[in-house]
Amino acid sequence: MSHRTLAVFQHHPAEGVGRIGLWAQHRNIKLVCFYAPDDLPKSLADYDGLILLGGPMNVADNPLWMQAELTLIQQALVLPKPILAICLGAQLLATQLGGQVVEMPEPELGWQDIRFNDASVLTVPQWHYQAITLPTSIDIVASSPRCPVQMFRHQHAIGLQFHPEWDTKQIEQLTEVFADECPITIGPHTEQYHPPVEQFLFELLDAQFGVN
């Protein structure tokens, strides 16, 4: 069994690891979570990979803690360490790969379809007001009508604009914390979407972090 240790950067109390925690438990992976606005490691040398979670912050604001996090993302790219970056994390990663984060005319909210390059479709939870643009050298793996970059890959780094880590409990927590603005609803009509999203995420994590 694997004894890998992954660093996780969390940006908001209500946006935790979700079903990534279940994957780690099944695969004997240790997750070391850092709450990025207050607490970041000095180096990633002792970790086998990096997971960047989402958050309500805007990359354009670039506070000091975000600058420190960007330095660590750059370190992970250079070392190199495998990276999985989600939503805000993907936007931060994109800036380190020569991309930009731009305001969307309309946000992408709730359960939405994304389309992969092989024409397969997955219904995923979305909640973002900005979108990513990337240099042409970086592979775009999935897109949606409103957001051309839903998943991208560059060498050992993967960015996701959507939230496959959000399980039912996580979405309930977000709905509670952001009651006035949270567009994600859970009901019998959305439960069917969870198993394919979980399968997608577990397969992605296994491949990205070298778990058999």
Side-chain angles (χ1 to χ4, degrees):
M1 290 293 285
S2 171
H3 291 281
R4 291 165 185 266
T5 301
L6 305 178
V8 179
F9 294 174
Q10 182 173 344
H11 303 99
H12 188 278
E15 285 209 53
V17 293
R19 55 169 60 97
I20 295 171
L22 183 63
W23 167 81
Q25 203 177 326
H26 287 332
R27 304 295 192 266
N28 196 25
I29 301 270
K30 184 180 178 186
L31 300 178
V32 180
C33 290
F34 295 91
Y35 186 61
D38 302 325
D39 173 38
L40 284 167
K42 298 242 178 327
S43 163
L44 294 170
D46 294 338
Y47 298 95
D48 298 302
L50 175 63
I51 295 174
L52 307 167
L53 299 176
M57 300 81 177
N58 192 326
V59 171
D61 296 339
N62 201 25
L64 283 173
W65 67 262
M66 196 177 279
Q67 293 170 39
E69 180 169 345
L70 288 168
T71 302
L72 286 162
I73 293 170
Q74 193 58 45
Q75 188 188 109
L77 289 167
V78 171
L79 274 170
K81 303 279 182 182
I83 303 169
L84 178 65
I86 298 171
C87 202
L88 172 67
Q91 294 173 358
L92 292 167
L93 172 63
T95 67
Q96 298 307 290
L97 297 173
Q100 290 182 305
V101 178
V102 296
E103 291 293 325
M104 299 174 70
E106 290 176 40
E108 197 171 32
L109 306 171
W111 291 90
Q112 306 280 341
D113 287 350
I114 62 168
R115 183 176 293 271
F116 293 90
N117 291 348
D118 64 1
S120 63
V121 174
L122 185 65
T123 307
V124 295
Q126 300 271 15
W127 189 7
H128 62 106
Y129 298 81
Q130 288 88 26
I132 292 165
T133 63
L134 290 167
T136 53
S137 58
I138 294 174
D139 294 331
I140 297 172
V141 181
S143 61
S144 68
R146 205 174 286 175
C147 183
V149 181
Q150 286 288 350
M151 178 175 176
F152 64 90
R153 184 191 300 272
H154 180 69
Q155 295 172 357
H156 50 281
I158 291 175
L160 307 175
Q161 185 58 76
F162 55 99
H163 286 278
E165 82 284 13
W166 285 359
D167 54 19
T168 304
K169 186 180 172 190
Q170 176 94 73
I171 293 173
E172 282 171 349
Q173 189 179 4
L174 285 159
T175 308
E176 202 176 306
V177 171
F178 294 100
D180 299 335
E181 50 190 296
C182 187
I184 311 280
T185 54
I186 315 177
H189 58 294
T190 61
E191 281 304 312
Q192 60 181 309
Y193 299 143
H194 281 281
V197 169
E198 180 169 300
Q199 184 182 348
F200 162 81
L201 178 65
F202 282 22
E203 288 174 3
L204 182 70
L205 288 163
D206 284 348
Q208 183 64 350
F209 297 108
V211 180
N212 296 326

